[in-house]
Amino acid sequence: MPIIVNVDVMMAKRKMSLNELSEKVDITLSNLSILKTGKAKAIRFSTLEAICKALDCQPADVLEYQPDTK
């Protein structure tokens, strides 16, 4: 998939644990883990907004586009 999710990178930069982000964003650990590992197929704007607010970042810091090399 050409969309790369960099939640783990931003969490490391902010020294924030998965549990802490889960509490701040009000999302389950399992759903956050799916998002963090790049296995999610979609994300709600409200969830993206909450993640950006919790990590004090922009959506472009969390999501990245890399075209397929086919």
Side-chain angles (χ1 to χ4, degrees):
M1 179 176 243
I3 301 295
I4 309 300
V5 181
N6 293 317
V7 171
D8 54 341
V9 174
M10 291 308 299
M11 286 172 51
K13 286 182 179 180
R14 302 297 189 252
K15 295 178 174 55
M16 189 178 294
S17 70
L18 197 63
N19 286 336
E20 188 178 352
L21 184 59
S22 172
E23 289 174 11
K24 287 186 175 195
V25 176
D26 195 27
I27 187 172
T28 65
L29 281 173
S30 60
N31 283 340
L32 190 55
S33 180
I34 288 169
L35 183 62
K36 185 181 144 205
T37 59
K39 295 180 181 176
K41 298 293 179 194
I43 183 171
R44 290 189 172 137
F45 283 139
S46 58
T47 303
L48 181 59
E49 178 184 2
I51 289 170
C52 289
K53 184 176 182 179
L55 293 172
D56 188 29
C57 67
Q58 295 293 312
D61 296 326
V62 177
L63 300 175
E64 176 184 348
Y65 174 73
Q66 288 186 351
D68 286 334
T69 58
K70 290 182 182 179

